[in-house]
Amino acid sequence: MLPVVRSTARAVRRPTAVLAGVLTALLTLSVFVSSPATADPRSDAAPRNHAVPGSDDGRLHSLTHIGDNLWQATAYSAAMDAEIPLSIIRPAGTPAGAPTFYLLNGAGGGEDGANWLAQTDILKLFADKRVNVVIPQKGIGTYYTDWIRRDPVIGQPMWQTFLTRELPRAVNTSLRTNGVNAIGGMSMSATSVLNLAIAAPALYQGVAAYSGCARTSTLDGYSAVRGTVYMANKANTDNMWGPFGSPLWTKYDPYVNAHKLRGLSLYLSSGTGTAGRYDKPGLQAPGAPSLGEQVVVGGLLEAAAHNCTSAMAARLRQLGIPATVHLSDSGTHSWRYWQDELHRSWPTVAAALRR
């Protein structure tokens, strides 16, 4: 089958690798630290961590209906010895046999105000859809991966183990799903979702990556990852995948390992970094950075994401792997555009979940 690649813009010229890396690293974190550190007000409505610490019964804990189609729960991770908070959007009537769409937040891990619930219309979008949407509200600056050693600041995150083994077991049991899954993410987690799909090829049928960078083993990709992790929580990526040039930086490079995505329904997107329809007064997402920062900082960051996404799309074409790619002709690294991409990608994700 020939690859299906749809694009609405031509790729912009790729900047020098080192410059791109420095810009991406610094700008990623400028966007992150400018995000409001205010929690989603709905999060206080549900109890937290009511499960007995260390209890791994393979089920969700403290599953609580917040209102309409929104629920909250925790899932115990034996790998991290922690209860991980979850926001869950369930279909009306909570029927058995629905598929699951795992959706990851960006650099803030959902622990700040920059998350899918607070800044998009996700509840409205999924109000009439027969799917469980599971959003972990933790993971700040971890790249949702397994770290190779304990970091003195954040301990030893084991997100790949949690997301590919522990969480699906608890979700499938407690929500009575049909075991069919897809996964999506934006910015930092757009890299993560590709890696998770590569690591657990039988777990997901579809992947959606919005405004991310599918390069980690190049100097610019490494710089972006290292900068994001450090500025998010002052952690050291040497404890994540080792020093630059270590084998894990290649193992977790989706561009290098793109052939392992064959057979999945793929959706990739980014803007170009130029100001677009939402980069105007009154049209930003709630709690967004200043308009000037969104246009300048978010613009430079999205331009870097555009280069990464264009390169990944070309790689998939080279390998003959079908993908739906939306390269907009404008748009910055900000939530209104990710909301649009969530809507635009849903037909691709939904088709994967019907397999």
Side-chain angles (χ1 to χ4, degrees), residues 123-139:
L123 291 176
K124 180 179 179 181
L125 171 61
F126 287 101
D128 62 348
K129 293 175 175 55
R130 193 174 185 274
V131 61
N132 299 295
V133 182
V134 177
I135 310 172
Q137 301 290 11
K138 205 169 179 63

Side-chain angles (χ1 to χ4, degrees):
M1 179 184 296
L2 294 175
V4 180
V5 181
R6 304 188 185 103
S7 172
T8 59
R10 291 173 294 181
V12 298
R13 181 175 297 174
R14 180 175 177 80
T16 302
V18 174
L19 176 60
V22 172
L23 283 175
T24 304
L26 294 178
L27 297 177
T28 297
L29 300 173
S30 296
V31 170
F32 170 73
V33 297
S34 67
S35 299
T38 54
D40 181 352
R42 289 166 292 204
S43 65
D44 292 332
R48 298 177 182 176
N49 299 335
H50 281 190
V52 176
S55 59
D56 184 11
D57 57 2
R59 302 185 65 87
L60 299 177
H61 302 145
S62 302
L63 184 60
T64 305
H65 186 204
I66 304 305
D68 297 325
N69 56 339
L70 179 63
W71 296 65
Q72 286 191 336
T74 65
Y76 178 70
S77 170
M80 294 185 280
D81 190 22
E83 289 283 343
I84 307 301
L86 309 168
S87 293
I88 304 174
I89 302 171
R90 304 183 69 182
T94 62
T100 304
F101 182 34
Y102 293 94
L103 192 58
L104 304 184
N105 288 296
E111 299 178 42
D112 58 0
N115 60 63
W116 287 105
L117 281 179
Q119 301 209 24
T120 73
D121 65 351
I122 189 169
L123 291 176
K124 180 179 179 181
L125 171 61
F126 287 101
D128 62 348
K129 293 175 175 55
R130 193 174 185 274
V131 61
N132 299 295
V133 182
V134 177
I135 310 172
Q137 301 290 11
K138 205 169 179 63
I140 180 172
T142 62
Y143 271 84
Y144 293 108
T145 189
D146 283 356
W147 288 46
I148 61 174
R149 65 177 66 92
R150 184 175 181 81
D151 183 89
V153 179
I154 61 171
Q156 188 171 3
M158 298 294 287
W159 279 96
Q160 179 178 302
T161 296
F162 174 69
L163 291 169
T164 62
R165 300 180 188 176
E166 299 169 333
L167 181 59
R169 180 166 62 110
V171 167
N172 292 343
T173 299
S174 296
L175 303 187
R176 300 172 297 155
T177 75
N178 65 359
V180 179
N181 309 299
I183 191 167
M186 39 67 66
S187 192
M188 178 191 82
S189 67
T191 305
S192 306
V193 296
L194 293 169
N195 274 326
L196 290 166
I198 289 169
L203 181 59
Y204 309 107
Q205 281 66 51
V207 184
Y210 319 115
S211 299
C213 188
R215 304 297 290 266
T216 61
S217 61
T218 60
L219 181 57
D220 50 337
Y222 164 81
S223 299
V225 174
R226 186 176 180 86
T228 300
V229 170
Y230 180 78
M231 290 297 293
N233 50 34
K234 300 300 188 289
N236 186 346
T237 54
D238 286 0
N239 298 317
M240 186 174 86
W241 292 336
F244 178 58
S246 297
L248 288 181
W249 289 91
T250 300
K251 178 180 178 180
Y252 291 111
D253 188 322
Y255 180 91
V256 173
N257 298 287
H259 60 284
K260 297 180 181 179
L261 294 168
R262 190 179 304 276
L264 299 177
S265 293
L266 302 173
Y267 183 95
L268 308 176
S269 69
S270 78
T272 60
T274 58
R277 59 182 297 192
Y278 298 123
D279 300 302
K280 300 174 183 177
L283 295 181
Q284 296 171 276
S290 68
L291 182 57
E293 188 172 6
Q294 178 169 304
V295 171
V296 177
V297 177
L300 288 169
L301 182 55
E302 194 67 10
H306 181 87
N307 285 318
C308 287
T309 304
S310 299
M312 187 63 173
R315 177 66 173 154
L316 293 171
R317 286 197 300 270
Q318 179 186 45
L319 294 170
I321 297 176
T324 300
V325 180
H326 180 242
L327 300 176
S328 179
D329 58 6
S330 63
T332 58
H333 203 71
S334 47
W335 278 100
R336 289 298 191 211
Y337 298 105
W338 296 325
Q339 174 175 283
D340 282 356
E341 291 308 317
L342 182 63
H343 282 254
R344 189 175 284 112
S345 66
W346 176 242
T348 299
V349 174
L353 293 174
R354 289 194 294 267
R355 289 186 180 181

